[in-house]
Amino acid sequence: MPALPPRHGRESRWEVYTCCNCATRFARLQRILRHVGVTCEFCTERHPVLVDGKPFGFLRCRHNGVGMYTGHQFEAWLYDTDEFADHRDGVHYRSTRASRAEAMADLAHWRSMFGPIEDDLSPVLTVVADEQFNKYGPGVTGEQRDALLEGTLEVYGVGTLRAYTPPHPRRGQFYADTATFTWGLIAPSGLEGIYTGAAPKSLAAYAPRL
């Protein structure tokens, strides 16, 4: 919905929206959250992001725009940040990206710059849910289709997150190296996350192309 009219002749930095699912009204500060969403946080599922099997943060998918311009954007959030322990359920908003992999790269950057080993810019492996995969396509067996519907199997993309190097203006920040990604790998659910070493064995067993 359109922004509220500015007060006292000044342009308002806030925009107010109505959730398309539950009709909750919520506001966003334009300077921090520039994207335009129509789904509130209570109606969007958290997708946990693990780092080597340990909880680190989560992604939240939001609808963006209406009609022919509808799309998705992905918010990156951190768990257990001391500075924000009493704020928003103990989580910390990091950024919003157009792709799931790039949102994962923002979490990898936070782990590298402020994690247990600071300034660790070595590449890491990421396992990302493949939302573009046709789970009803001809290459999917009946058993796999049933498991995908039950939630015991998931479809992933696997690739590398790297850090920009000097003199790049974003040096130190991570990005998804799209040339390294392999998509459409069917494996057990719950493997999405960041891995500083090799891919999990349970994924390798289902993904011989790795």
Side-chain angles (χ1 to χ4, degrees):
M1 94 181 264
L4 293 177
R7 296 181 180 179
H8 309 298
R10 298 174 60 186
E11 182 180 357
S12 173
R13 296 182 301 167
W14 291 90
E15 291 187 354
V16 178
Y17 305 96
T18 300
C19 176
C20 61
N21 186 37
C22 68
T24 297
R25 291 175 62 81
F26 59 99
R28 288 185 175 163
L29 184 60
Q30 296 177 29
R31 180 176 61 84
I32 299 176
L33 299 176
R34 293 189 176 89
H35 64 283
V36 178
V38 292
T39 307
C40 75
E41 66 182 86
F42 301 103
C43 293
T44 51
E45 181 182 359
R46 293 184 180 185
H47 303 278
V49 173
L50 307 177
V51 175
D52 292 330
K54 297 179 180 180
F56 186 75
F58 64 89
L59 302 183
R60 192 196 300 278
C61 178
R62 287 194 181 276
H63 300 288
N64 178 40
V66 295
M68 64 180 294
Y69 300 104
T70 299
H72 293 88
Q73 291 186 316
F74 299 89
E75 295 179 355
W77 292 76
L78 289 171
Y79 287 137
D80 301 329
T81 53
D82 295 337
E83 183 181 356
F84 296 90
D86 298 324
H87 177 63
R88 300 186 68 88
D89 195 24
V91 297
H92 182 195
Y93 169 79
R94 290 304 307 152
S95 64
T96 299
R97 300 297 181 189
S99 74
R100 200 178 187 108
E102 288 295 339
M104 196 85 75
D106 279 321
L107 293 182
H109 165 66
W110 185 266
R111 170 204 161 270
S112 169
M113 299 304 295
F114 306 100
I117 304 177
E118 296 186 6
D119 299 326
D120 179 9
L121 301 181
S122 56
V124 295
L125 191 70
T126 186
V127 178
V128 187
D130 184 359
E131 298 179 325
Q132 302 298 319
F133 185 82
N134 181 8
K135 298 179 181 179
Y136 302 96
V140 180
T141 66
E143 293 78 7
Q144 288 176 329
R145 188 178 300 113
D146 292 341
L148 291 171
L149 292 175
E150 293 170 358
T152 56
L153 287 181
E154 185 58 270
V155 185
Y156 299 106
V158 179
T160 304
L161 305 177
R162 303 184 189 277
Y164 291 103
T165 57
H168 196 282
R170 294 181 61 191
R171 57 187 179 274
Q173 297 186 36
F174 276 66
Y175 67 96
D177 186 353
T178 56
T180 66
F181 274 76
T182 300
W183 297 94
L185 304 177
I186 299 177
S189 59
L191 298 180
E192 186 171 51
I194 297 170
Y195 298 87
T196 58
K201 294 181 180 179
S202 53
L203 177 63
Y206 283 79
R209 282 179 286 173
L210 287 180

